[in-house]
Amino acid sequence: ESFQTEQQKAEKMKIKFGKTTENIVTRQEFPLEKARQVLAGKTVAVLGYGIQGPGQALNMRDNGINVIVGQRKSTKANGSWKRALKDGWVEGETLFSLEEAASRGDIVMMLVSDGSCPEVWRKIEKFVTPGKALYFSHGFAYVYNKITGVKPGKDVDVIMVAPKGSGTNVRRNFLNGAGINSSFAVAQDATGKALELTLAIGIAVGSGYLFPTTFEREHVRDGERSQVVCGSFVRTRRRRPREAVRMDGERADARRHA
């Protein structure tokens, strides 16, 4: 189906935020089976197995998506590498170095911490080749690319799905049969299919409601808007641009999105 068709589908449900009416995508408008069709034949490489990585990777795997994980190898008993092994990722099959995973992935998910993004990007940039998609769950690295150096080529899709909750909640809600609210954005549509791809990933990672945003807007104020969607609005404000507000009312520094 065409990019325009997906835009039309995304307009089926609307919700009003103050004076602004926005289009919301739900699992009814974009069912899991459709997401599987869009992602069929693609390899999703999740880079970073810290905070957001495990929940999104495991949810996609359980939903039948072809997922691999990229993580720095470590012998620490409580480290991310060991955690990935415990979660059933197999070294050399579904668990690789950051560079190897990025080279194998059609969709490269940058779920490392904001502080790690410059270093990781330098390692994997050459593997983010034309036609691939570069995915984020937080706007910081792309918005502040003069600081991070994250400047993908114009022939790459740049997309985002930002769950409005901790990685733990992303996984817990999925296992409980509930979705989590997420915002989504397309910064670059090189293939003409970036929106469809974004919505497919949003559903595959366990989103119940997806509301549109931009990378810039997500970075500063989408926590408040997600509260409205879930029906328990609590007005929040960010003390610093890099803080994110979780739906359970706790505050989590966005640098922990690893």
Side-chain angles (χ1 to χ4, degrees):
E1 291 179 275
S2 68
F3 178 75
Q4 180 61 34
T5 299
E6 293 307 326
Q7 284 186 314
Q8 292 169 349
K9 284 185 177 182
E11 294 175 358
K12 288 187 177 179
M13 179 177 177
K14 297 178 183 292
I15 192 166
K16 197 166 185 177
F17 297 93
K19 297 180 180 180
T20 304
T21 299
E22 294 187 349
N23 302 315
I24 307 300
V25 181
T26 72
R27 287 179 287 192
Q28 285 68 48
E29 285 82 48
F30 203 105
L32 178 59
E33 187 53 43
K34 172 64 176 176
R36 287 174 177 149
Q37 291 173 8
V38 172
L39 296 171
K42 299 184 184 297
T43 298
V44 182
V46 176
L47 306 188
Y49 208 73
I51 302 300
Q52 281 290 335
Q56 294 194 40
L58 291 169
N59 290 358
M60 285 190 291
R61 186 176 72 181
D62 288 354
N63 275 331
I65 308 304
N66 183 29
V67 185
I68 61 175
V69 171
Q71 175 62 44
R72 295 184 184 91
K73 191 170 184 177
S74 171
T75 58
K76 293 181 180 179
N78 60 345
S80 296
W81 182 269
K82 292 289 188 182
R83 179 182 179 184
L85 291 172
K86 289 179 182 178
D87 284 344
W89 306 100
V90 179
E91 184 175 0
E93 295 182 16
T94 55
L95 177 61
F96 303 94
S97 68
L98 294 164
E99 297 90 336
E100 182 66 20
S103 72
R104 290 171 177 256
D106 300 295
I107 302 159
V108 180
M109 301 177 73
M110 283 281 282
L111 298 184
V112 299
S113 65
D114 287 340
S116 298
C117 273
E119 177 189 355
V120 172
W121 178 248
R122 287 193 295 270
K123 290 181 177 181
I124 65 115
E125 179 180 7
K126 64 183 178 182
F127 301 116
V128 184
T129 51
K132 288 192 176 186
L134 182 63
Y135 168 104
F136 298 88
S137 281
H138 180 45
F140 179 83
Y142 185 74
V143 171
Y144 293 99
N145 55 43
K146 290 183 180 179
I147 298 172
T148 63
V150 179
K151 299 178 181 179
K154 296 298 183 182
D155 46 13
V156 171
D157 289 344
V158 180
I159 62 178
M160 176 174 64
V161 174
K164 300 309 164 188
S166 67
T168 300
N169 284 343
V170 169
R171 183 60 175 165
R172 180 187 296 126
N173 284 18
F174 177 85
L175 293 175
N176 290 338
I180 195 162
N181 297 328
S182 302
S183 57
F184 70 91
V186 175
Q188 288 187 186
D189 181 18
T191 65
K193 299 179 179 179
L195 177 58
E196 180 182 60
L197 186 66
T198 305
L199 297 178
I201 296 174
I203 295 301
V205 300
S207 304
Y209 289 87
L210 287 155
F211 57 92
T213 189
T214 64
F215 275 67
E216 293 80 7
R217 190 164 62 180
E218 187 281 332
H219 177 57
V220 296
R221 71 179 183 90
D222 278 351
E224 178 179 291
R225 294 157 75 245
S226 73
Q227 299 279 356
V228 180
V229 175
C230 74
S232 58
F233 176 71
V234 177
R235 185 167 296 278
T236 60
R237 74 179 168 84
R238 295 171 187 261
R239 296 183 181 180
R240 298 192 305 272
R242 290 174 62 138
E243 285 181 342
V245 181
R246 295 216 308 255
M247 282 173 55
D248 57 8
E250 297 178 26
R251 198 176 70 231
D253 193 308
R255 287 172 292 184
R256 296 171 58 199
H257 285 200

